[in-house]
């Protein structure tokens, strides 16, 4: 199990990641944009979202730091754009932590299957800390 930092940006994620690549001398990263996600007819993708970064990560001195642009229309507050991401190869561990941390908090997305994970969800705990939960069975591309 790992706890990774997840940073959100307001449309300038690619610029920030390319800057951090230079600063920390990391390998070039692979960017997944919102436009590259499988289409969902119930939720059409706005044109302004297509080139925004949905997900990428850098390994900085042995720590994974993940990055994303916020989706258009979602709130962005500079300084509060950090969440913790629990990534585990043990699905029961993901479910247990999610179910304990949601008590007294607010669930943003119930644990569910997504195109990148069999079990993903997010919440804000009772102390106001944003969490993401991701089961990684070793098949994740990023």
């Amino acid at each position: 199990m790992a706890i990774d930092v997840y940073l959100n940006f307001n449309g300038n994620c690619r610029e920030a990641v390319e800057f951090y690549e230079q600063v920390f001398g990391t390998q070039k990263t692979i960017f997944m944009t919102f436009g590259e996600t499988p289409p969902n007819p119930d939720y059409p993708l706005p044109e302004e979202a297509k080139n925004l970064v949905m997900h990428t990560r850098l390994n900085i001195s042995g720590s994974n730091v993940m990055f994303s642009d916020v989706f258009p229309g979602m709130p962005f507050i500079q300084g509060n754009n950090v969440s913790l991401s629990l990534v585990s190869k043990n699905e029961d561990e993901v479910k247990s932590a999610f179910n304990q941390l949601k008590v007294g908090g607010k669930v943003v997305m119930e644990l569910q299957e997504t195109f990148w994970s069999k079990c993903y969800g997010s919440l804000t705990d009772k102390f106001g800390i944003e969490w993401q939960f991701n089961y990684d069975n070793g098949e994740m591309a990023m």
Side-chain angles (χ1 to χ4, degrees):
M1 172 174 67
I3 302 290
D4 297 332
V5 176
Y6 208 111
L7 303 175
N8 292 302
F9 293 84
N10 197 20
N12 60 343
C13 180
R14 185 179 302 270
E15 177 186 357
V17 170
E18 289 171 349
F19 174 72
Y20 297 140
E21 284 174 345
Q22 291 178 357
V23 169
F24 297 106
T26 66
Q27 293 182 347
K28 289 285 186 190
T29 188
I30 298 169
F31 293 94
M32 175 186 281
T33 65
F34 287 106
E36 294 171 310
T37 62
N40 183 336
D42 295 332
Y43 302 99
L45 188 64
E47 192 62 37
E48 66 269 22
K50 290 183 178 176
N51 291 321
L52 294 176
V53 175
M54 182 187 152
H55 177 76
T56 193
R57 83 173 90 198
L58 292 176
N59 187 286
I60 300 173
S61 299
S63 294
N64 282 324
V65 181
M66 297 183 288
F67 304 84
S68 178
D69 281 312
V70 294
F71 197 79
M74 298 298 290
F76 176 84
I77 301 170
Q78 192 167 351
N80 290 347
N81 52 325
V82 176
S83 62
L84 299 177
S85 179
L86 183 145
V87 180
S88 178
K89 295 186 183 309
N90 181 326
E91 189 173 357
D92 291 335
E93 187 172 55
V94 170
K95 290 177 179 178
S96 175
F98 182 92
N99 288 326
Q100 291 179 71
L101 285 170
K102 76 178 184 180
V103 175
K106 179 183 177 193
V107 173
V108 176
M109 182 177 177
E110 286 289 348
L111 289 175
Q112 59 191 270
E113 187 168 343
T114 65
F115 70 89
W116 69 86
S117 175
K118 182 180 171 189
C119 184
Y120 173 85
S122 62
L123 60 80
T124 301
D125 72 19
K126 65 183 178 181
F127 301 105
I129 304 299
E130 294 182 24
W131 290 87
Q132 297 182 53
F133 301 83
N134 199 55
Y135 166 64
D136 178 6
N137 63 358
E139 297 175 4
M140 289 178 54
M142 299 188 76

